[in-house]
Structures are given as C-alpha cells and as structure tokens.
Amino acid sequence: MLYACCPGRRRFRPLFRRVSPAAAVGLGLLCGLLLLYLIFAYATRPFQVITVDQRQLFEKTALGLPTLYEFYTSGGVTEGLEAENRQFTLNGRPLSLFSGALHYFRVPPALWRDRLRRMRAAGLVAVETYVPWNLHNPAPGVYDFGDGGTAWSPFLDIVGFLRAAQEEDLVALVRPGPYICAEWEFGGLPSWLLRDPNMRVRTSYEPYKEAVRAYFERLLPLLAPLHFTRGGPVVGLQIENEYGSLGVDDKPYLEFIKGLMQSADLPGLFFTSDSPLASGDRGALPGVLQTANFQVDPEKQLNALERLQPGKPAMVMEYWTGWFDHWTEEHHTTTLEAFSDVLRRILEYPSGVNFYMFHGGTNWGFMNGANSDTSFPTYQPDITSYDYDAPLTEWGNYTPKYEAVKRLLAQHAAVELRTPSAPAAPARGLPAGAAAPLAARLPLGALAAAVPPALRASHAQPLPMELLPANGGAGQSYGFLLYRRAAGGEPVPDGATLTVRGRVRDLAVVLLDGQRVSAPLTSLQDLRGFGYWEKENASLQLRTPGAAPAQSLELLVENWGRVNFGSPDDFHQRKGLLGSVELDGATVAGWDHLSLQFDPAFLAGLSEWQPVALDSPDGVLATPTLFRVEVSIDEPVDTWIDVRGWSKGIVFVNGFALGRYLHLGPSHTLYWPAPLQRKGLNEVLVFELFQIPSDTTLRFSDAPDLD
C-alpha cells in the first residue's frame, strides 16, 4: 500500500570532548536552534508516496495513528477528492471512501455531534446528507438556514452541521438536489411550485429552473467556503438525484444544475447516483462520476457501473442498510447475515460505500413522504419513524449491523487512522410516570374559531391547499384543511347523498352540525371507501345527528404526505378536495376554507380549553379533538409516547410537531428525544380524529414499538 514517508532518525556524536563553560552555553543555544529548525522542517515537510506499513511507520516516529485531517492535510492541501485510475484520492493520498447517511434535519441539533462521533468510531471517514429545499425555502423569497426564527430553524443550520462533522474528523458528501427523494415530503420540493398549473418539476421548464436558481443562489454560497480545498469538510456534491429513474431524457437540465454549482465556485467532485442495471447512463453526464444505488447483487451492479465508466473507482452511493415503512405494512428489516454478506462483497470488489441510512432519524411532524403504486393501496404514506433498520437506531443506539460495519471496514481500509472511542449507548427512561391524564380538550369547532383571518379564504368551489392565498400567497403546504359550506345553504336532510366529484387527497372526515358522520378508519380495506384517495367520485349517504335536517356541512381533509418518488405524473399532487362536492346530485357552491397548520404560534394562542369527558364509553369521539397533556420531567431523557389506544392523529410537544400515528401500525410509539423536552412542565398536544383510550390517559414507554 502507499503511505507517506517520514524522515528517519539520526545519531549524533559529540564534536568536542573538552569545552569551556561559555562555549558550552553557546553550543547549547546552537543545538536548541537546530532542534527548533528540525521540528519546523518536519512539521512542514512535503509528503512522498512510498510503499510501507503505516502502523510500523507511526510507531517508529512515536506519533501514534493520525486523525483523518492530520493525515490528509499535513503539508498543505493542493487538491480535493479525485476519482481516477480506479482509486479515490484525497489531497493526492489514497482514500477508502467509507461514508454514512445522516440527515441533519431528521436529528435534533443537540445530538448531531453524538451521532457523528458514533459514525467516526465505526471507521467511517465521511458523512453524507441531503438538503431539503422545502424546509430551507418554505415560500418564494423566504429562506431559512438556521436563522429563520421558526420551530424548524435549529434543525436547518447546515453550515453548523458540516462544521460539526469536520470537528468530529469526518469529510462530507452533500446532495443538494434540488430533488432529494429521501422518503421526505414531496421529495424535498416546496409545494408552492404547484401553484403553477403548468409546472413540470425536475425538467428544463423555465419557471422551475428559475425557482431552482433562486434557491441555489442562497444555498451554494454557504457550501463553497466549506470545500475541502478551502479548509472545510465538503469533498463531493451530487447533481440532482436518481434522475435515471424518472424516465425523462433531459440532459440539459442536469447540465443546468451542474452549471449552477460551478458558477458558485464549487470545485467538485461532482457525481450522480442511480441503479446501473436499471438506469444505465440516463441520469449521467460526461465527466461526472457515476455511482450505484442498490441492496443486493453487488457484483452485477458494480460490473454494470464499470462498463459505463471504465477505469473509474467504484462507489456505492446508496447501499440500503434496511428499508422504510408505510402505514399498514409490517416493519421492514434486513438480516445481519444478508447485510454483512453484501457489504463484504462490495468491499472486496473493491468499491467505496455510503450506507443509506447509517442513522435514519425521524420524519418529524407532517414531513413524511409517500409512494404511489399501481395496485391497492395506490397511495402509501410513510410512517413517522425513519429507523430504516440502520446500523444506528432511530434513537442512536448500536445494533449488530454497527459492529459488522466496524469489523469489515477495519479489514479493508487502505489507511489506518485514529478513531474515537464509541460513546455510551443513549440513556432511556420515562417522565415522572408511565402515564399522564388528559388535562383538557378543544373540539374541532373551537379550533376552527381560532384560525386567523390570514388563513381563511372563500371560494365558489373547493380549492386545493396549494392554491389558497395563505402564507403570503405561497399556499398551504402541510396539515389539515377544513372545508365549510358557506352560511345560508339549504339544510341537509337525513339520507342525503354526498359525492366528491373527483378525489380526496388524502383523508376526509365529514361533519354535520359539528358531529362526525363518516366512518372511522378501522382497517386497511376502509381505504377503498369514501373519504380516502382510492375511490374517484365516491359517495356517502348522510345520517344527520338529530331528527331535524343539519344546518352546517364540513369536510376536514388531511394531507398525509406528498409522493417523493415516481414518474413525472406522480409529481402532480395537490392536496385537499380535487373536484366539486354534490348533495343529491346538485353541486354545492360557496365554500369557506380554514387552514389548520398547527404551527407553534397557533398552538400557543389557543384558549378556552374544556374539561375532558368521554363522548362514548369506548372513547369514540363525536368530532376530531385536540387534547392537552401536562408532563412533568425531572431530567430530560429519551422516551417514547405510546399511542396504543388512540386511532389516527398527530402529536405536538412544547409546540413542535413530533409526528403522526395510526393504530393500524406498524409503529405504535413516537420517539420523544431528550433535546425536545424541558426540565419541569412539558405540554403535549394530541389531535385525534376518531377515538381515544377509554381511561383518558397518554402513556409513555422507555422502548420503541416499531412493529
């Protein structure tokens, strides 16, 4: 192997046997100056590349093993990451490119360093992260890179994250998109793009390119000073993401993305990622390194990659360590044996590897993505946990996969570097008790009354979220939208037929006089009926709550997460009611729109809470309701909110949207990390659509239930 050479030792003999005291002092000063010169010359020596055993080398010089940055920057930095002659080099020295995915926006910032250190302790030399456009640019002209003053802002300090990675002795592979997939809402694209009726995302459509340009002109200048050749951690940047799978031939668009990066003075290394077997070079560009994404058949995929770019080093940009989960499915896992076998074959090929995911984290709040399918269910929203069955769990704990990674990487590393000790396993515990009583409630009608005027709109026909004038004209991105028939309409008689002439995106609850009259979601097969996305032009026979005709008609619609992967048609996905509403075949005209976004300011301003009482002995609710729970915590520690006994809804902790839950699983707990807790009193809010536990409590656990 090739390693850097250090000067050998020399042995000196005395020049004089007898000297005067003054001469001795002078000679001592001369020797001291000579010693200082030798130390300076050694510290600033240029590296030569020779064949030598590195462990023996550093034992001889009594230096110990170097850190990554000591090894790759000593003597000055003249070049970054290069991919030539089947070997990655960094600053001209061989690099075994072992990386792991950790998305800074899925992990509380207080835990970034802990997770990064665990990765470095496993032998990884790089961290890989996506960059979510929809969080950093939530409305046209509005940007947040950690300084936006919102609940999300602390998660969005990408510069702070990359600096932390460098301080934890890792370099960084950054995948800025603008599309990232990632099982993230709309693949990281901002929903305000959909206000354009002709929008074609991920193409050379000019309005889309202009939106990308405006965003990149804010993002890329933050990354440029962080490049490795300028003293930072960034060694590689991805152009778009899995573009070969989109089924669109638009190389000028990819060139446009590359051009934006070059215009921002980013030196590269630039790369793309796709399945070599499935996509070939459809998502590639000349002169840009192609990398591979897969979970099985490493030799077939890597041989196909070699045929596409002969002589280049092989790199698996996404070795899928597990898989993500959809609601109503089982929790996906990969056996240790299968995981280790494929990893060993990747390393022996030989190839670099990025573990997707190494630490999955959490799909906070409303930010989960979804998939589409040609068979039932055709829409498949992702769950809140993004554990991914990764080497580090959602809460950062070690798994047998972690130990396998550590062992195999040590066997195949070209350069042996110093690694930190692995931090202790994360502490877990419970709040003051394993359960807390529900302290107060606000039914949907009270919540609607608290919606501010800026989040209200009236229109003749129902509008989707994205076309509302909310949020300064950016539309509504997430949450719930309450459609209320304008006052003055004809009463709704018992037995009337309600039809949504079009589709519901994604779930609708129907209310008459404030009481729910549509059925709760009790099974997977319920998704085939009224109120869900599967059935077009679905109808519901209405039963009024009392003997008299109902005066008010409302439909509460939830955006359950926009699709993050698929064909071009899958990215045309507005949310809400997509069509008109009919009563007994007559179109209902005149609708008020109330956006329930549940942002921290809205939650903090709620008042007139009501005492908790069961609407029925089994806890079935008469109307969707927000419940408040007060939780006392002596010392914050990772815990889980146990949602068994609840039906369908979302949880907020201290104003932050923690995540959704569904009794159909697979998961039945929500991770509540210590950094999102307060010492003392904590407020937990639960917005439930259908049913609560009959004992009117919220329970906690010191362990997750993912299946």
Side-chain angles (χ1 to χ4, degrees), residues 323-403:
W323 204 242
F324 54 91
D325 296 331
H326 299 129
W327 292 115
T328 75
E329 296 178 349
E330 294 182 354
H331 176 49
H332 291 86
T333 60
T334 304
T335 67
L336 175 64
E337 293 74 19
F339 169 81
S340 301
D341 176 64
V342 172
L343 176 57
R344 175 187 56 78
R345 290 155 63 190
I346 289 171
L347 297 174
E348 290 178 353
Y349 186 81
S351 172
V353 63
N354 177 59
F355 297 93
Y356 190 97
M357 299 291 297
F358 197 85
H359 173 52
T362 307
N363 295 322
W364 309 111
F366 298 108
M367 300 310 296
N368 62 275
N371 288 94
S372 62
D373 204 338
T374 56
S375 59
F376 176 80
T378 58
Y379 167 74
Q380 303 163 340
D382 300 323
I383 71 170
T384 297
S385 171
Y386 200 59
D387 180 82
Y388 210 87
D389 193 34
L392 287 176
T393 64
E394 180 183 11
W395 60 101
N397 202 12
Y398 303 105
T399 68
K401 287 181 179 179
Y402 180 94
E403 299 303 327

Side-chain angles (χ1 to χ4, degrees), residues 137-158:
N137 186 191
V142 178
Y143 300 93
D144 188 351
F145 294 99
D147 56 356
T150 71
W152 269 110
S153 295
F155 290 78
L156 303 181
D157 182 9
I158 184 173

Side-chain angles (χ1 to χ4, degrees), residues 468-519:
L468 294 174
N471 303 304
Q476 181 180 351
S477 295
Y478 319 112
F480 295 78
L481 178 55
L482 180 63
Y483 295 89
R484 176 180 288 169
R485 188 185 63 168
E490 290 293 325
V492 180
D494 185 60
T497 298
L498 175 74
T499 302
V500 175
R501 189 63 62 189
R503 289 191 182 275
V504 169
R505 290 286 190 241
D506 298 300
L507 175 156
V509 176
V510 181
L511 302 105
L512 293 177
D513 291 342
Q515 305 293 297
R516 178 176 55 80
V517 294
S518 55

Side-chain angles (χ1 to χ4, degrees), residues 44 127 158 174 187 235 254 291 347 403 520 538 597 611 629 634 637 644:
T44 60
V127 60
I158 184 173
V174 180
V235 297
L254 297 179
T291 64
L347 297 174
E403 299 303 327
Q597 301 178 135
V629 183
D634 295 330
V637 64
R644 280 170 287 207

Side-chain angles (χ1 to χ4, degrees), residues 260-297:
L260 291 178
M261 293 181 180
Q262 292 172 324
S263 298
D265 198 23
L266 280 162
L269 176 87
F270 300 130
F271 60 90
T272 61
S273 67
D274 269 300
S275 164
L277 283 175
S279 300
D281 62 358
R282 288 198 302 272
L285 285 176
V288 173
L289 182 73
Q290 293 180 247
T291 64
N293 299 349
F294 60 80
Q295 189 173 55
V296 296
D297 296 328

Side-chain angles (χ1 to χ4, degrees), residues 437-685:
L438 306 184
R441 63 182 281 174
L442 274 181
L444 179 62
L447 291 172
V451 173
L455 296 179
R456 296 170 178 261
S458 297
H459 199 268
Q461 293 300 321
L463 293 177
M465 287 183 173
E466 296 80 1
L467 298 187
L468 294 174
N471 303 304
Q476 181 180 351
S477 295
Y478 319 112
F480 295 78
L481 178 55
L482 180 63
Y483 295 89
R484 176 180 288 169
R485 188 185 63 168
E490 290 293 325
V492 180
D494 185 60
T497 298
L498 175 74
T499 302
V500 175
R501 189 63 62 189
R503 289 191 182 275
V504 169
R505 290 286 190 241
D506 298 300
L507 175 156
V509 176
V510 181
L511 302 105
L512 293 177
D513 291 342
Q515 305 293 297
R516 178 176 55 80
V517 294
S518 55
L521 177 57
T522 60
S523 71
L524 176 64
Q525 294 306 314
D526 287 345
L527 299 177
R528 298 182 183 272
F530 179 89
Y532 303 98
W533 56 84
E534 288 291 334
K535 194 171 184 180
E536 189 173 15
N537 302 326
S539 295
L540 173 69
Q541 189 173 32
L542 301 176
R543 294 298 177 190
T544 57
Q551 299 301 310
S552 72
L553 168 64
E554 297 169 310
L555 289 89
L556 178 68
V557 180
E558 179 183 8
N559 164 12
W560 210 340
R562 294 180 181 86
V563 170
N564 58 265
F565 179 85
S567 66
D569 288 343
D570 291 314
F571 291 92
H572 297 292
Q573 45 178 321
R574 292 172 177 163
K575 296 295 185 176
L577 295 180
L578 307 187
S580 60
V581 176
E582 299 175 357
L583 277 175
D584 289 333
T587 299
V588 179
W591 290 91
D592 296 330
H593 302 66
L594 293 83
S595 297
L596 286 165
Q597 301 178 135
F598 291 104
D599 57 82
F602 174 78
L603 295 174
L606 294 175
S607 60
E608 300 183 12
W609 291 87
Q610 304 172 11
V612 173
L614 289 175
D615 294 337
S616 63
D618 57 0
V620 173
L621 297 174
T623 186
T625 303
L626 182 70
F627 293 89
R628 190 180 74 204
V629 183
E630 295 177 347
V631 182
S632 178
I633 294 178
D634 295 330
E635 291 293 337
V637 64
D638 285 359
T639 193
W640 284 261
I641 296 175
D642 189 335
V643 291
R644 280 170 287 207
W646 297 76
S647 180
K648 169 79 175 81
I650 185 165
V651 174
F652 308 87
V653 294
N654 299 318
F656 181 77
L658 191 67
R660 306 184 217 244
Y661 61 87
L662 176 67
H663 73 100
L664 298 177
S667 64
H668 297 281
T669 53
L670 290 172
Y671 174 47
W672 187 10
L676 298 182
Q677 302 170 18
R678 298 172 182 160
K679 190 173 181 179
L681 195 63
N682 292 253
E683 183 183 66
V684 179
L685 301 177

